[in-house]
């Protein structure tokens, strides 16, 4: 990797950068020594180009992907690699995933797209009962490790009930699949390439709010970031914050505000939700003595509950306050009430303060 | 239907206009003949599968034709206004427009009554209107106001109207069809002389749950009518790219089907009348409505990347459902060009008034975020932006 790569996790603050709303696939500025300034969907697009280029037995398919997809992530793939490797499917999520399992079982890399994570539920049976257990129940004769399911998740500000949900916790309850969520363009490219090449079926959730909003220097070469390794993206000593995907941007803002009030926050990007990196979180909590988890999905039964329970087991005697969870509310994802529902910066900041002052 | 009443009263009001206005339409039939039966041929014959097609000759009346014209013009105007409101960011969320397909909603309503059930997907504004909803409820719901048909909590994709037998309003492609079969079972069990129309698009026609639902409906002879509104594009994918057999009326195999010109409101009416009689006697039937949407799939789709502008303007010129009725009305001397223009102006006025009124409707109360999740809130914990002060556990 180029030494000119800037520090990871540079955020373009939401709503301020005009560049963040650019629609071009490749950003023009910032070209230096094999590093380009890219937004998140362009980084994903680049990863898919590399994946198809480096493995002739890899395929991209899903609803409307032949035309570039509704979020432009698959732009140019069909032109470059042909309609036999990049193709549209009918509107049938169960069929898409089931087909992907079969394709992967023949030793191929099947990269399936579900247009919105909210639409993944018709495919839930295929993912849970077929994909996750194929290797186990066949005594390792068969597997669908080449399967990667890409799907955009999360709020966009006005998506309403069926274009905003964060269903990651459902899949974290299924041994046999991995769940990965990137936080930024550079992370997205490296993690997606790792997922595509990982010998296990993976659900890769893409933060759709950041598709155009997050812009970062992304190396142009073929690189992979390790799965099941969390990253401390901000060092601190008073409290550990754990999150993933788009929520990290909000959490980082809360960390910055807390710092102004003299609270030193450590922020961890989990990246892979299962199997997750307990050691990194454990080490951090043993240092800070406090833990806050934040995600957009409803608080009850969210993955924050699992992290909370695991850390409580490992760090009980070191904890100085109850684990705080700042998450979505236990309601269906609302339309007009989205601002109330969301785990906003101020909610996180309040929770940081009340945890530190417990 | 409220809408038809509105239409006929509006039609009636034309006769109260000053004589000077009437001079231009002296050739028109007298008032007493407005309910006289007219017989009009459908644009093309029906194509049938496993059943005998109904007659091409459709019985109607001049007042019915005028109400068709009025209803469709109102729907067209409403959808165009929704487009502007969306672009002005007054409508948030996802929004799917029905313009071009109006004849399906209007023709279907003319053949059924309010005890028959209708369930559809997310392109639901006009179906809601045809089932007796009001413009005010529609625009309030679109803009997330408490005056909306779902109290502002649903938005564009989730319109419902229990009194009109309109079961919504569903967001997931194809998911409403099994529900519709359940409604039909309820009707059969109670020996109601009514049926359920489950509407879905050509994209949804490839969903597995459709076939599961159809099998159940056929197995138990349920009065379920599956209506495939074939607008030829499932989002951005043409029907022939996603379906091995785009002859959706034949996809039921053992269940009979009928292909209908969905741009011809009279053909739709005839087909729905036929389907209702058939379903009550023999069980499920598929109606494929050959129709067209002028707008893109949703507001984020310009609708011109996967089809040509020539194709869209060609359909507008040759098959537009409103123009077809306009020609019929003029050919039968039922009304004059000027009066039809006046109806269009009146529709614009009604839509504008409804928008103004809807804008005055309050946003829902914040506490409504927690209502209707369960019958009771069951201890949902809530907190506002200031976590400490607004924290509360709801009943």
């Amino acid at each position: 990797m180029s030494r000119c790569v800037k520090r990871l996790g540079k955020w373009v603050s939401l709503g301020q950068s005009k560049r963040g709303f650019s629609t071009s696939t490749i950003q023009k500025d910032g070209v230096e020594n094999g590093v380009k300034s890219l937004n998140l969907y362009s980084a994903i697009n680049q990863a898919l180009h590399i994946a198809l280029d480096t493995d002739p037995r890899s395929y991209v398919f899903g609803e409307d992907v032949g035309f570039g997809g509704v979020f432009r992530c698959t732009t140019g793939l069909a032109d470059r690699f042909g309609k036999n490797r990049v193709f549209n499917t009918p509107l049938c999520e169960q069929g898409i995933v089931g087909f992907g399992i079969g394709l992967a079982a023949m030793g191929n890399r099947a990269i399936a797209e579900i247009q919105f994570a909210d639409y993944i539920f018709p495919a839930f049976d295929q993912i849970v009962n077929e994909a996750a257990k194929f290797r186990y129940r066949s005594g390792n004769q068969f597997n669908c490790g080449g399967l990667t399911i890409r799907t955009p998740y999360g709020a966009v500000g006005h998506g309403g009930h069926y274009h905003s949900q964060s269903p990651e916790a459902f899949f974290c309850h299924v041994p046999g699949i991995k769940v990965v969520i990137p936080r930024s363009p550079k992370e997205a490219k490296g993690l997606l390439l790792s997922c595509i090449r990982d010998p296990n079926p993976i659900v890769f959730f893409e933060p759709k709010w950041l598709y155009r909003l997050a812009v970062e220097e992304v190396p142009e070469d073929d690189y992979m970031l390790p799965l099941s390794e969390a990253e401390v993206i901000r060092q601190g000593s008073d409290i550990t914050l754990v999150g993933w995907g788009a929520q990290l941007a909000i959490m980082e803002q809360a960390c910055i505000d807390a710092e102004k009030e003299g609270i030193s926050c450590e922020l961890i990007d989990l990246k892979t939700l299962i199997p997750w990196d307990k050691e990194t979180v454990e080490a951090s909590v043993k240092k800070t003595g406090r833990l806050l988890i934040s995600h957009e999905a409803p608080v009850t039964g969210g993955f924050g509950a699992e992290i909370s329970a695991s850390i409580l087991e490992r760090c009980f005697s070191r904890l100085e306050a109850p684990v705080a969870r700042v998450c979505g509310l236990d309601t269906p994802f609302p339309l007009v009430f989205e601002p109330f529902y969301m785990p906003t910066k101020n909610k996180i900041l309040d929770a940081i303060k009340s945890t530190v002052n417990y | 239907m409220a809408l038809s009443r509105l239409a006929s009263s509006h039609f009636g009001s034309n006769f109260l206009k000053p004589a000077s206005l009437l001079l231009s339409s002296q050739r028109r039939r007298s008032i007493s003949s407005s309910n006289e039966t007219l017989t009009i041929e459908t644009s093309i014959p029906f194509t049938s599968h496993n059943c005998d097609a109904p007659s091409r000759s459709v019985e109607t009346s001049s007042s019915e034709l005028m109400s068709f014209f009025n209803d469709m013009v109102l729907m067209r105007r409403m959808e165009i206004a929704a487009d502007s409101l969306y672009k002005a960011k007054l409508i948030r969320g996802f929004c799917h427009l029905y313009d071009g397909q109006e004849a399906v909603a209007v023709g279907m309503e003319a053949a059924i009554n309010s005890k028959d059930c209708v369930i559809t997907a997310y392109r639901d504004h006009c179906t809601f209107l045809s089932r007796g909803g009001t413009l005010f409820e529609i625009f309030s719901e679109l803009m997330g106001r408490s005056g909306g048909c779902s109290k502002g909590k649903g938005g564009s994709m989730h319109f419902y109207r229990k009194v009109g037998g309109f079961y919504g309003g569903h967001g997931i492609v194809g998911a409403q069809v099994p529900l519709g079969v359940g409604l039909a079972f309820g009707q059969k069990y109670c020996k109601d002389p009514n049926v359920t129309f489950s509407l879905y698009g050509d994209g949804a026609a490839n969903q597995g749950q459709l076939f599961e639902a159809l099998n159940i409906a056929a197995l138990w002879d349920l009065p379920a009518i599956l209506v495939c509104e074939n607008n030829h594009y499932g989002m951005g994918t043409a029907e022939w790219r996603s379906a091995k057999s785009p002859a959706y009326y034949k996809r039921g195999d053992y269940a009979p089907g009928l292909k209908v010109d969905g741009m011809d409101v009279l053909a739709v009416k005839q087909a729905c009348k036929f389907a209702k009689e058939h379903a009550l006697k023999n069980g499920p039937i598929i109606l494929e409505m050959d129709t067209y949407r002028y707008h893109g799939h949703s507001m984020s789709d310009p609708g011109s990347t996967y089809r040509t502008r020539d194709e869209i303007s060609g359909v507008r010129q040759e098959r537009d459902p409103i123009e077809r009725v306009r020609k019929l009305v003029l050919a039968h001397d039922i009304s004059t060009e000027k009066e039809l223009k006046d109806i269009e102006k009146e529709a614009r006025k009604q839509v504008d008034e409804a928008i103004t009124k809807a804008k005055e409707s309050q946003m829902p109360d914040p506490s409504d975020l927690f209502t209707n999740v369960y019958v009771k809130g069951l201890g949902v914990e809530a907190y506002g932006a200031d976590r400490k002060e607004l924290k509360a556990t709801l009943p």
Side-chain angles (χ1 to χ4, degrees):
Chain A
M1 247 187 278
S2 164
R3 296 187 68 195
C4 297
V5 177
K6 288 187 185 167
R7 177 85 184 90
L8 303 186
K10 176 195 156 207
W11 283 100
V12 174
S13 61
L14 303 181
Q16 280 182 6
S17 167
K18 282 184 182 154
R19 200 174 54 170
F21 291 99
S22 167
T23 54
S24 68
T25 305
I26 306 292
Q27 307 277 329
K28 280 176 189 160
D29 48 349
V31 183
E32 43 176 79
N33 297 346
V35 176
K36 258 187 190 166
S37 188
L38 289 188
N39 60 26
L40 197 137
Y41 85 79
S42 305
I44 298 227
N45 184 259
Q46 216 178 62
L48 292 172
H49 268 99
I50 291 170
L52 289 174
D53 199 30
T54 51
D55 186 349
R57 295 186 69 185
S58 52
Y59 305 84
V60 169
F61 51 91
E63 292 161 13
D64 287 346
V65 297
F67 309 119
V70 288
F71 292 108
R72 316 311 301 156
C73 292
T74 52
T75 303
L77 293 174
D79 291 340
R80 182 158 160 214
F81 299 101
K83 291 186 186 304
N84 291 334
R85 292 182 63 202
V86 181
F87 46 89
N88 289 339
T89 62
L91 303 187
C92 51
E93 291 76 16
Q94 187 172 14
I96 292 170
V97 173
F99 168 86
I101 295 170
L103 188 62
M106 295 292 278
N108 300 294
R109 304 224 173 273
I111 309 166
E113 177 177 308
I114 300 294
Q115 199 164 63
F116 283 87
D118 311 66
Y119 307 165
I120 208 165
F121 298 108
F124 199 51
D125 175 60
Q126 286 289 342
I127 297 170
V128 174
N129 285 329
E130 302 302 325
K133 302 168 175 66
F134 204 3
R135 190 190 299 275
Y136 186 82
R137 69 177 132 85
S138 69
N140 206 25
Q141 289 181 78
F142 291 107
N143 70 81
C144 58
L147 175 67
T148 303
I149 302 162
R150 296 177 40 243
T151 187
Y153 85 97
V156 288
H158 61 279
H161 313 298
Y162 293 126
H163 297 86
S164 308
Q165 296 175 78
S166 301
E168 70 271 1
F170 291 106
F171 300 93
C172 292
H173 199 53
V174 186
I177 54 171
K178 293 187 177 182
V179 175
V180 177
I181 309 182
R183 70 169 187 272
S184 71
K186 187 179 166 178
E187 291 285 314
K189 182 178 168 186
L191 288 172
L192 180 56
L193 281 167
S194 294
C195 289
I196 291 169
R197 292 161 180 170
D198 189 90
N200 297 290
I202 294 181
V203 186
F204 187 79
F205 288 101
E206 298 168 3
K208 63 176 167 290
W209 201 330
L210 305 181
Y211 270 143
R212 292 176 187 203
L213 227 45
V215 179
E216 193 176 36
E217 307 284 293
V218 179
E220 284 201 288
D221 60 350
D222 180 353
Y223 67 95
M224 287 160 52
L225 296 173
L227 302 183
S228 293
E229 262 186 38
E231 182 189 341
V232 178
I233 53 178
R234 190 185 170 89
Q235 304 270 357
S237 55
D238 295 332
I239 182 169
T240 301
L241 276 73
V242 177
W244 49 86
Q247 189 59 10
L248 286 164
I250 314 293
M251 296 168 80
E252 189 169 53
Q253 289 168 14
C255 290
I256 292 166
D257 282 10
E259 187 130 311
K260 287 177 194 154
E261 303 189 24
I263 302 171
S264 166
C265 302
E266 182 145 306
L267 182 59
I268 296 178
D269 177 5
L270 208 55
K271 298 189 195 184
T272 304
L273 269 62
I274 51 162
W276 62 288
D277 182 359
K278 288 180 191 163
E279 287 70 29
T280 300
V281 179
E282 182 185 348
S284 174
V285 174
K286 281 191 169 154
K287 181 175 77 175
T288 62
R290 299 174 186 90
L291 175 63
L292 181 151
I293 306 145
S294 181
H295 54 68
E296 276 180 29
V299 61
T300 301
F303 196 63
E306 174 58 35
I307 298 173
S308 172
S310 296
I311 292 304
L312 211 64
E313 281 167 5
R314 290 169 173 238
C315 309
F316 182 68
S317 60
R318 306 292 289 266
L319 283 171
E320 293 176 32
V323 176
R325 288 183 290 157
V326 184
C327 305
L329 305 178
D330 287 332
T331 69
F333 197 100
L335 177 61
V336 288
F337 295 123
E338 182 173 325
F340 299 116
Y341 172 91
M342 295 293 283
T344 53
K345 183 193 77 176
N346 284 343
K347 288 184 192 173
I348 297 170
L349 187 61
D350 281 346
I352 289 174
K353 286 192 230 164
S354 59
T355 305
V356 169
N357 299 325
Y358 183 76
Chain B
M1 291 294 84
L3 192 67
S4 323
R5 277 202 303 278
L6 184 79
S8 48
S9 68
H10 176 73
F11 180 46
S13 71
N14 282 345
F15 292 88
L16 301 174
K17 281 180 181 166
S20 59
L21 270 175
L22 283 171
L23 283 176
S24 60
S25 52
Q26 274 176 347
R27 288 187 303 133
R28 199 184 46 221
R29 285 144 202 265
S30 63
I31 301 168
S32 60
S33 70
S34 68
N35 288 318
E36 206 172 275
T37 306
L38 287 169
T39 305
I40 293 170
E41 289 264 294
T42 60
S43 56
I44 49 166
F46 298 102
T47 320
S48 66
H49 166 72
N50 272 352
C51 66
D52 294 325
S55 161
R56 277 183 76 177
S57 304
V58 189
E59 289 190 350
T60 182
S61 66
S62 46
S63 63
E64 188 179 60
L65 281 176
M66 288 304 288
S67 77
F68 286 163
F69 183 82
N70 188 83
D71 294 352
M72 290 196 287
V73 160
L74 199 60
M75 288 174 179
R76 179 74 53 92
R77 184 63 217 159
M78 179 180 91
E79 293 295 64
I80 289 165
D83 179 275
S84 314
L85 289 172
Y86 194 92
K87 283 168 181 156
K89 298 203 168 182
L90 285 162
I91 298 175
R92 309 311 307 269
F94 282 65
C95 183
H96 309 79
L97 302 179
Y98 199 74
D99 50 329
Q101 303 182 203
E102 297 93 341
V104 178
V106 171
M108 184 173 71
E109 194 57 43
I112 62 178
N113 63 49
S114 65
K115 293 220 168 89
D116 294 310
C117 302
V118 174
I119 187 166
T120 186
Y122 37 77
R123 204 178 299 286
D124 59 354
H125 308 168
C126 293
T127 318
F128 173 80
L129 189 68
S130 72
R131 294 256 78 188
T134 66
L135 289 169
F136 169 72
E137 288 173 300
I138 288 172
F139 286 110
S140 298
E141 190 59 43
L142 285 171
M143 293 191 280
R145 312 297 171 120
S146 55
C149 52
S150 308
K151 297 176 189 153
K153 292 172 80 166
S156 162
M157 305 204 294
H158 309 291
F159 286 13
Y160 299 86
R161 190 167 198 276
K162 198 173 179 189
V163 284
F166 180 51
Y167 283 76
H170 295 255
I172 301 298
V173 170
Q176 72 281 9
V177 179
L179 270 69
V181 170
L183 300 177
F185 182 86
Q187 289 169 324
K188 189 181 169 89
Y189 192 83
C190 293
K191 298 194 170 69
D192 290 344
N194 295 102
V195 297
T196 297
F197 288 78
S198 304
L199 286 81
Y200 58 96
D202 47 303
N206 302 311
Q207 281 273 356
Q209 47 189 333
L210 231 92
F211 297 90
E212 299 175 25
L214 184 66
N215 180 52
I216 289 176
L219 198 60
W220 300 330
D221 295 330
L222 303 181
I225 297 160
L226 273 60
V227 185
C228 176
E229 290 185 274
N230 181 5
N231 59 27
H232 304 283
Y233 297 91
M235 295 191 288
T237 303
E239 52 178 351
W240 59 271
R241 288 179 193 270
S242 62
K244 178 66 184 172
S245 164
Y248 297 103
Y249 69 106
K250 290 185 186 167
R251 295 280 287 274
D253 181 19
Y254 42 80
L258 199 62
K259 184 169 180 177
V260 185
D261 179 2
M263 304 296 266
D264 178 354
V265 64
L266 290 168
V268 174
K269 178 187 150 190
Q270 184 83 332
C272 290
K273 193 167 155 244
F274 170 82
K276 183 174 173 180
E277 285 163 13
H278 175 97
L280 283 171
K281 267 190 236 143
N282 311 308
I285 178 170
I286 297 179
L287 299 179
E288 177 186 347
M289 302 289 181
D290 178 357
T291 184
Y292 201 82
R293 66 169 146 76
Y294 294 149
H295 265 88
H297 166 73
S298 70
M299 297 309 297
S300 52
D301 168 20
S304 52
T305 51
Y306 47 83
R307 54 185 191 180
T308 61
R309 290 193 188 281
D310 285 351
E311 180 186 304
I312 305 169
S313 60
V315 175
R316 275 187 190 274
Q317 276 165 21
E318 287 163 26
R319 298 183 59 211
D320 187 84
I322 297 179
E323 294 313 308
R324 183 188 299 278
V325 174
R326 190 196 305 272
K327 277 182 205 151
L328 279 176
V329 166
L330 295 176
H332 288 83
D333 282 339
I334 296 165
S335 185
T336 64
E337 295 221 28
K338 179 167 183 314
E339 281 175 349
L340 297 182
K341 286 269 176 230
D342 287 343
I343 290 178
E344 288 173 301
K345 277 186 203 153
E346 173 64 22
R348 180 184 289 255
K349 202 176 128 215
Q350 285 180 28
V351 166
D352 290 347
E353 282 169 5
I355 292 172
T356 311
K357 205 174 144 207
K359 281 179 180 167
E360 287 162 10
S361 176
Q362 296 295 308
M363 299 300 277
D365 192 80
S367 64
D368 275 347
L369 169 58
F370 302 101
T371 55
N372 314 128
V373 181
Y374 300 101
V375 176
K376 285 184 180 173
L378 296 180
V380 172
E381 192 176 72
Y383 45 87
D386 182 341
R387 202 162 185 263
K388 275 177 276 183
E389 284 181 26
L390 291 179
K391 189 164 175 175
T393 300
L394 296 156

